[in-house]
Amino acid sequence: MAASPHTLSSRVMTGWVGGCVWYLERRALQESPRRFLHLLRNVNQQWVTFQHFNFLRHMYVTQLNRSFSQQIKPKPEPVASPFLEKASLDEAKAEIYEMRPLSPPSLSLSRKPNEKELIELEPTPVIEGSIAMGTETKEEKQWKEMKLRVDDLPGILARLSKIKLTALVVSTTSAGFALAPVPFDWPCFLLTFVGTGLASCAANSINQFFEVPFDSNMNRTKNRPLVRGQISPLLAVSFATCCAVPGVALLTWGVNPLTGALGLFNIFLYTCCYTPLKRISIANTWVGAVVGAIPPLMGWTAATGSLDAGACLLGGILYSWQFPHFNALSWGLREDYSRGGYCMMSVTHPDLCRRVALRHCLALVAMSAAAPALDVTTWTFPVIALPINLYISYLSFRFYRDADRKSSRKLFFCSLWHLPLFLLLMLTCKRPAAQGDAGGPQS
Amino acid sequence: MAALRPPRGFRLPLCRAFSGGGCQLVPERGGERRDAAPSQVSRFCPPRKSCHDWIGPPDKYSNLRPVHFYIPENESPLEQKLRELRQETQEWNQQFWANQNLTFLKEKEKFIDSRLKAKGLELRAESGQKATVNAEEMADFYKEFLSKHFQKHMCYNRDWYRRNFAITFFMGKVALERLWNKLRLKRKKTSN
C-alpha cells in the first residue's frame, strides 16, 4: 500500500487519514464489486481484517509484485494443505483415515557447492519417470532463493511493518491531535505523525518476528515476509530498532517527553505483553485494546502536553471500539485459533466474547454523550453520531443473541466504517477554542 | 573468535553425515526416504552457482516452509553453529506442527463422528451425502482442544522464543564476524 509514493501521499491528509483509508476502500469496492461479492461469499474460507482487506491488498500487492520475482500464488494444490483449505465443515470427512502413520519428514538439508557430487546427482532426475519429473519441476519451481533484492525491500518492509495498520494507528493519533483544544501546529503535527508511524512500524515488525510459526499456520497471516523467508529475522529486528529509536527520539525530543514515554510504553505493551499473552490468556484482548487506545492519547498529549479528561475520553472511545471489532473478527477464526494455540475469548468463553462486544458498543454511545460534557465537541455531536452508534449497538445485540457467523461478519464490517466516520463527526463537531462556554466546564 | 555455547534447553545436532557436504538427495532417494510423507525437500537441489539458502513451499502437514541451507566453502565454526541451530530448530518446528495439525484433524474427526452418532446419523448417509456438524457445535471441540493442549503450547512457546532469540543473536554475531573479516582483508590489501 504505501510502497509507491503517490499512493502514500494520497492517504496522508491532516486528521483525515482514517477517512481517506475508508474512502479508498469504498472506491476499491466500487471498482471491483465482483471481487468483493466473491470475498463476502467466501468469507468462510478466508477472514479478512481491516488491515488485510484481501481485495485491496491483492490490488496493491499485485501492483508492487509485478517487479518482484515472487508472485503471491493462490494455493498450489488443494490436497497440499488440508488444514488451511478445509474451513468448511463439509470437508471434515474421512480424510483422516487416509493419513499415514505420523512420522513427519525431515526437512533439513544442507548442500555444498561441490561440483563432483552435483555432477553425480544431475543424471539422477533423468532416470526417474517422466511423470515424476513433471511433478518435480512443478515443486522445484516453488522453491525460491533467499536472496534479498533491493527493489523488493520497500514492499517487504511495508508488509513487515503492517503498513495499513500503521496508517490506521497514525490516523487515530492525528484525530487526537486535531481534537485537542489548542491551535493546530503543523510542525508539531508532522513530528508526531512521523514519530508515531515509526513506533508503530517497529512494534508490528517485532510482533511478526515473534510469531513466525504461528503465522505460517493461519490463513490470514501465512503470506507475511518472515513466513515466506523474504527477509531474515536479523534484518527484521534491525529494521524494528531503526524505526523504534528514531521514532521514540523524535517523539521525546521533537514533541514532548510525555508523548515519547507513551510511545515507548505502547511498543513495550504490544511486543512484550500483548504478543506473548495471546497464547497464554484471554486477557490479551484487554491489553490489545489499551494498545489501540494509546495512539489518540499520544496525539492529544503531543498537542497539549498533558493528559486531561478529553484525552482520556478519546482513549476510552478507541478502547471500547476494539471489542466489537476484534470479538466479531475472532468469531470466524475459532478453528485457526484453537489449532494454533491462541487463547481467545471466542474459543474459550464465547458468551463473554459476545457480551463484552455488546457492552462496549453501549459504552460508545455513553462516551459520545460525554464528549460535549468534557468540552471536546459541541452538543451536536452525540445527536448526529446517534444513528451510527445505535446501528452498531443493534448489530452487536444481534451478534449477542444469534451468535453466528453472519451476525459476527456484519458487526465486524460495520466496525470498519464506524470508527472513521465517528472520528470524522467528532472533528466536524469539535468545540471551537475561541468560543467561551458560560455553563460548561473549562478544559 | 570464541564460539558461544548455545543456551541450555536444546542441543546442537551431532555432526551428521549429510551436513558434511554435498546434496543429500541421492541417499534419500535410494532407501532412506520415509514413506510417511514424501518431502518435497528430498527432490529439490538448488542450482550449483547459487550461494544462498533456498526456501520451499509450505509443508503439507506443518505448513512451515522448509529451508535448504547453503554451506559455503570457507564456513567458519560460528557459521556452522548457526546453520546447525537453524537446521535443528527447523526440524523441531516441523515435528511439533505436523504433530499438532494431524492431532487436530484426528480429534476433530473423532468429535464429529461422536456428535453425529449421538444424533443418530452416520458420517456418510446412504445417498453418499456427508453429514456435518454446525459451527456452534464445533466450538465445543475447539474449546476442548485448546485447553487440552494448553500445557504443550506453553512449553513450545517458551522454547520457540529462546530458539528464535538465539538464532537471531547468532545471525548478528555471524554478520559482525563477516564484516570484521572483510575489513581485515581490506586493511591487508591497502597495507600491501
Side-chain angles (χ1 to χ4, degrees):
Chain A
M1 169 179 131
S4 54
H6 72 266
T7 326
L8 183 62
S9 59
S10 72
R11 288 174 181 263
V12 171
M13 282 168 73
T14 314
W16 310 105
V17 176
C20 276
V21 170
W22 174 76
Y23 162 72
L24 280 163
E25 277 158 357
R26 296 294 298 176
R27 205 181 70 189
L29 241 165
Q30 285 149 21
E31 284 168 11
S32 51
R34 240 189 287 167
R35 285 208 64 133
F36 185 61
L37 289 173
H38 174 77
L39 183 76
L40 280 183
R41 257 183 253 124
N42 290 333
V43 95
N44 268 349
Q45 293 167 15
Q46 211 173 14
W47 263 109
V48 296
T49 63
F50 178 59
Q51 303 86 306
H52 300 267
F53 248 112
N54 250 6
F55 60 91
L56 204 71
R57 180 189 68 178
H58 189 71
M59 264 171 62
Y60 284 116
V61 175
T62 319
Q63 285 166 23
L64 295 172
N65 275 351
R66 263 181 210 131
S67 57
F68 298 168
S69 53
Q70 279 188 37
Q71 294 292 322
I72 291 179
K73 292 194 225 349
K75 214 74 181 101
E77 49 191 40
V79 197
S81 185
F83 305 95
L84 299 183
E85 290 300 316
K86 316 270 190 240
S88 161
L89 294 164
D90 281 346
E91 295 159 6
K93 47 185 175 171
E95 195 177 326
I96 195 74
Y97 302 130
E98 293 158 25
M99 287 291 177
R100 283 145 175 166
L102 174 63
S103 44
S106 161
L107 291 180
S108 290
L109 284 180
S110 304
R111 72 183 195 287
K112 257 195 161 157
N114 189 324
E115 284 198 310
K116 254 195 221 167
E117 275 154 318
L118 288 170
I119 289 166
E120 277 171 36
L121 292 161
E122 276 163 12
T124 323
V126 180
I127 296 166
E128 301 242 345
S130 55
I131 299 164
M133 259 278 277
T135 8
E136 258 179 46
T137 353
K138 187 186 171 198
E139 285 168 11
E140 280 176 25
K141 276 193 190 136
Q142 295 172 343
W143 282 78
K144 304 285 176 198
E145 192 176 14
M146 289 173 83
K147 183 178 174 183
L148 189 64
R149 290 170 190 84
V150 183
D151 29 322
D152 293 353
L153 201 58
I156 291 171
L157 293 179
R159 272 173 286 144
L160 182 70
S161 56
K162 297 189 210 173
I163 200 76
K164 286 186 215 172
L165 178 60
T166 299
L168 179 64
V169 165
V170 161
S171 74
T172 58
T173 308
S174 310
F177 192 95
L179 275 166
V182 289
F184 192 88
D185 179 34
W186 268 102
C188 184
F189 171 73
L190 288 171
L191 288 169
T192 314
F193 188 93
V194 173
T196 311
L198 288 172
S200 173
C201 288
N204 289 328
S205 306
I206 297 288
N207 170 268
Q208 289 198 22
F209 164 73
F210 283 155
E211 304 241 289
V212 178
F214 314 117
D215 284 346
S216 313
N217 275 279
M218 290 182 67
N219 260 320
R220 192 172 66 92
T221 52
K222 66 188 180 191
N223 285 317
R224 287 184 171 170
L226 282 168
V227 173
R228 292 171 67 190
Q230 293 173 311
I231 196 174
S232 77
L234 180 67
L235 207 56
V237 173
S238 311
F239 171 70
T241 316
C242 291
C243 286
V245 171
V248 174
L250 205 63
L251 290 172
T252 312
W253 285 290
V255 183
N256 58 55
L258 178 60
T259 313
L262 282 171
L264 187 63
F265 175 67
N266 214 19
I267 294 176
F268 166 76
L269 203 62
Y270 186 61
T271 58
C272 303
C273 297
Y274 171 70
T275 304
L277 213 54
K278 274 162 79 176
R279 309 182 55 79
I280 298 174
S281 142
I282 59 170
N284 70 76
T285 311
W286 282 268
V287 174
V290 174
V291 172
I294 289 181
L297 241 70
M298 286 169 65
W300 189 286
T301 59
T304 62
S306 64
L307 267 175
D308 47 16
C312 296
L313 176 75
L314 212 52
I317 286 168
L318 261 294
Y319 176 82
S320 284
W321 177 82
Q322 308 289 333
F323 291 97
H325 174 74
F326 181 72
N327 288 2
L329 169 68
S330 68
W331 199 257
L333 296 172
R334 283 178 290 180
E335 176 164 357
D336 277 356
Y337 283 146
S338 169
R339 186 167 50 83
Y342 282 109
C343 295
M344 299 295 174
M345 267 193 279
S346 57
V347 181
T348 57
H349 298 78
D351 293 334
L352 179 69
C353 178
R354 298 181 336 264
R355 209 164 50 232
V356 164
L358 177 61
R359 201 189 293 165
H360 283 273
C361 280
L362 298 173
L364 281 173
V365 181
M367 280 188 275
S368 307
L374 293 172
D375 260 353
V376 180
T377 65
T378 59
W379 282 100
T380 332
F381 170 65
V383 176
I384 58 173
L386 195 65
I388 60 169
N389 287 338
L390 285 180
Y391 185 61
I392 199 175
S393 305
Y394 166 71
L395 288 180
S396 79
F397 175 72
R398 287 291 299 269
F399 175 49
Y400 175 71
R401 194 192 60 188
D402 301 342
D404 60 2
R405 217 159 241 203
K406 183 170 167 213
S407 52
S408 71
R409 255 164 45 208
K410 277 188 128 164
L411 178 59
F412 171 70
F413 283 116
C414 175
S415 74
L416 295 180
W417 59 255
H418 177 271
L419 179 67
L421 195 54
F422 190 93
L423 292 175
L424 222 66
L425 290 173
M426 275 191 97
L427 278 160
T428 53
C429 297
K430 178 185 173 183
R431 192 177 293 276
Q435 192 178 340
D437 219 0
Q442 295 296 311
S443 59
Chain B
M1 200 188 246
L4 259 189
R5 273 223 195 104
R8 270 188 229 159
F10 42 82
R11 289 172 282 117
L12 289 182
L14 302 167
C15 190
R16 302 181 212 186
F18 64 81
S19 65
C23 229
Q24 292 309 303
L25 306 181
V26 176
E28 273 197 275
R29 273 185 215 276
E32 276 179 47
R33 185 165 63 187
R34 304 178 215 199
D35 283 330
S39 172
Q40 293 162 327
V41 175
S42 63
R43 296 197 195 104
F44 177 74
C45 190
R48 216 181 310 173
K49 52 180 165 26
S50 165
C51 48
H52 291 94
D53 298 337
W54 282 69
I55 191 164
D59 180 71
K60 259 195 239 185
Y61 302 105
S62 67
N63 296 314
L64 302 174
R65 289 171 183 261
V67 175
H68 227 289
F69 295 101
Y70 168 70
I71 309 177
E73 295 280 350
N74 51 349
E75 191 183 47
S76 71
L78 194 63
E79 288 176 344
Q80 184 187 0
K81 213 162 218 156
L82 172 65
R83 180 178 49 79
E84 287 170 353
L85 179 59
R86 290 175 73 191
Q87 236 162 257
E88 207 229 334
T89 300
Q90 183 171 269
E91 284 171 9
W92 170 79
N93 254 331
Q94 168 69 14
Q95 187 95 15
F96 178 84
W97 284 104
N99 186 29
Q100 174 74 4
N101 292 336
L102 283 169
T103 310
F104 184 81
L105 256 193
K106 265 193 210 138
E107 295 195 10
K108 184 177 174 184
E109 181 58 38
K110 237 191 328 191
F111 176 85
I112 290 173
D113 216 12
S114 68
R115 279 293 164 104
L116 290 174
K117 282 212 175 97
K119 286 188 191 170
L121 301 162
E122 284 302 318
L123 189 62
R124 213 179 269 264
E126 278 171 10
S127 61
Q129 257 191 321
K130 282 156 265 177
T132 56
V133 177
N134 71 34
E136 299 323 309
E137 290 186 56
M138 289 307 299
D140 293 335
F141 165 69
Y142 300 141
K143 179 175 177 178
E144 184 197 319
F145 185 84
L146 188 66
S147 43
K148 188 170 161 190
H149 295 265
F150 182 75
Q151 208 46 50
K152 193 170 78 164
H153 276 293
M154 286 302 104
C155 297
Y156 172 79
N157 294 342
R158 192 193 55 218
D159 286 342
W160 161 247
Y161 271 70
R162 280 153 76 183
R163 283 173 186 267
N164 200 20
F165 278 126
I167 289 173
T168 313
F169 178 72
F170 275 115
M171 278 183 169
K173 285 195 80 168
V174 163
L176 284 173
E177 185 189 60
R178 286 189 188 146
L179 184 69
W180 176 251
N181 290 340
K182 246 191 227 164
L183 290 171
R184 224 175 35 191
L185 246 116
K186 259 191 193 163
R187 231 183 287 160
K188 267 193 190 156
K189 281 188 186 162
T190 51
S191 64
N192 290 352

